[in-house]
Amino acid sequence: MKVGAGIQIPPNSARILQRFGVLDEIKKLSVLPHAFVMRSYKGPELNRQPMLPYCEETYGAPYLHIHRADFHSVLIKRAEALGINSMLSIAIPIRFPY
């Protein structure tokens, strides 16, 4: 796994993914963090915010972490199921009028 390849999906985004019909598949490939933990640079814990089951109870959707490639894969599969043709590595020239 590459550093920086993770995507955080907050509850408001998870609700949109539910409407798109992909949240169940996203959940299968994601992890649910138990808590946000803030630490001092010396190591001691400064603060802890529980995430489970807080997010779903409060916001009606989970807070998830997923690998970028897995996230893209689920979205592309859903788009293709809807008949959307996607093209990768295509350059689209844009000319600005200034």
Side-chain angles (χ1 to χ4, degrees), residues 16-27:
I16 292 169
L17 293 170
Q18 179 67 45
R19 283 184 267 177
F20 288 168
V22 297
L23 183 59
D24 289 339
E25 189 64 28
I26 294 285
K27 281 178 158 182

Side-chain angles (χ1 to χ4, degrees), residues 21-61:
V22 297
L23 183 59
D24 289 339
E25 189 64 28
I26 294 285
K27 281 178 158 182
K28 292 176 190 175
L29 301 168
S30 300
V31 295
L32 292 118
H34 293 272
F36 284 132
V37 179
M38 293 177 57
R39 294 186 178 276
S40 162
Y41 71 96
K42 294 181 180 179
E45 188 174 303
L46 300 173
N47 188 18
R48 175 179 292 266
Q49 173 65 49
M51 299 304 290
L52 290 175
Y54 176 80
C55 278
E56 292 209 42
E57 289 176 354
T58 305
Y59 303 113

Side-chain angles (χ1 to χ4, degrees), residues 72-73 75-80 83-90:
H72 289 174
S73 176
L75 294 178
I76 290 294
K77 285 178 187 174
R78 178 66 175 143
E80 289 172 349
I84 298 168
N85 181 25
S86 60
M87 296 180 283
L88 303 176
S89 300
I90 301 296

